[in-house]
Amino acid sequence: MRRVALFDLDGTMFRGDSIALLVLTLLRRGVMKPAWYLLRVLWGTLLWKLGLRRVEAVKRAALAPLGGLAPARREELLRDFVHEELASRVYPEALDKMRRHASQGFLVLVVSASPTLYLRYIPDILPADAAIGTDTEEDFTVRENMTGEAKVRAVTRWLEEAGVRTDWASSFAYGDSASDLPMLRLTGNHFLVNPKRGARKKGAGIPRLTWS
């Protein structure tokens, strides 16, 4: 039986939203004309906040400019984004906790709603065995955002395909939002990190950590 340690990424390992940081990176790199691109993403985000657009559509709009890049250039940009932008933002306490679990023989997994397009490079900068995220198709269409119960399904599927028999009672999980609660409750040891208001309300009684 293997113990696992599950870590949400955005808001848990570092402050902020990685796809928003990617948008800023694409703007700085001149991948898309700033005014048109930024307006489209901001408008889509507003509609999503108002409940008028699915988050999957907003993510596709944010990622769409990558389609104008040659594959090699796209991968270089995404790898640099993770190595430079995300690596510099990781909370020291988060990195230390992940390292401790890894040194104790845990299977360490990052489980995030962020796109696997760049999550695949997360094990380059963190002591994680794998990163599980939101899959996209060739045109960057998102069929299912990796959040809530979708995280549970993705984790259990990954473990089954890897042939891992899991000791859930001795495993750990860390997240910051209400949508992380189903994943946290998979494990016998779970913590809310810098929890958002919804997580504090729906996850009353769950131990809290402050990473900064």
Side-chain angles (χ1 to χ4, degrees):
M1 299 284 280
R2 188 81 183 272
R3 296 176 297 172
V4 301
L6 308 175
F7 289 81
D8 172 54
L9 186 67
D10 299 4
T12 300
M13 297 299 294
F14 57 81
R15 185 172 61 184
D17 182 270
S18 63
I19 201 165
L21 293 171
L22 178 63
V23 168
L24 294 177
T25 297
L26 295 179
L27 288 171
R28 288 199 299 267
R29 299 289 182 91
V31 175
M32 180 57 69
K33 293 181 179 179
W36 180 87
Y37 175 45
L38 188 58
L39 179 62
R40 182 182 179 186
V41 174
L42 290 176
W43 178 245
T45 302
L46 176 61
L47 292 177
W48 167 56
K49 293 288 188 180
L50 294 174
L52 301 175
R53 179 169 293 181
R54 290 170 57 85
V55 68
E56 289 84 355
V58 180
K59 286 192 172 184
R60 184 183 186 281
L63 298 171
L66 294 171
L69 300 176
R73 172 61 179 140
R74 179 167 63 240
E75 292 308 311
E76 178 186 29
L77 187 150
L78 293 173
R79 183 170 50 251
D80 289 349
F81 168 67
V82 171
H83 282 234
E84 297 170 10
E85 296 294 335
L86 298 190
S88 66
R89 296 172 180 270
V90 175
Y91 294 135
E93 300 96 329
L95 182 57
D96 180 64
K97 183 68 69 174
M98 189 174 277
R99 283 173 172 164
R100 287 188 183 185
H101 283 305
S103 69
Q104 293 166 355
F106 281 73
L107 179 67
V108 179
L109 301 176
V110 171
V111 188
S112 173
S114 299
T116 53
L117 283 168
Y118 55 83
L119 278 189
R120 64 169 67 101
Y121 298 112
I122 286 295
D124 291 351
I125 66 166
L126 295 175
D129 294 285
I132 303 169
T134 297
D135 291 330
T136 58
E137 299 187 7
E138 289 187 5
D139 65 350
F140 306 105
T141 296
V142 176
R143 297 299 181 191
E144 181 181 38
N145 194 42
M146 189 63 65
T147 187
E149 292 294 341
K151 284 193 172 185
V152 174
R153 292 192 295 272
V155 168
T156 54
R157 183 170 60 248
W158 191 95
L159 292 169
E160 288 174 2
E161 291 176 352
V164 176
R165 295 179 62 235
T166 308
D167 178 0
W168 288 116
S170 300
S171 294
F172 285 71
Y174 305 86
D176 73 307
S177 68
S179 64
D180 291 322
L181 294 177
M183 180 184 76
L184 298 188
R185 288 170 174 146
L186 277 174
T187 67
N189 308 279
H190 39 257
F191 301 87
L192 285 169
V193 180
N194 304 334
K196 298 176 182 176
R197 184 171 61 178
R200 293 196 300 269
K201 181 178 180 181
K202 295 181 180 180
I206 295 178
R208 302 175 186 178
L209 300 174
T210 301
W211 293 345
S212 62

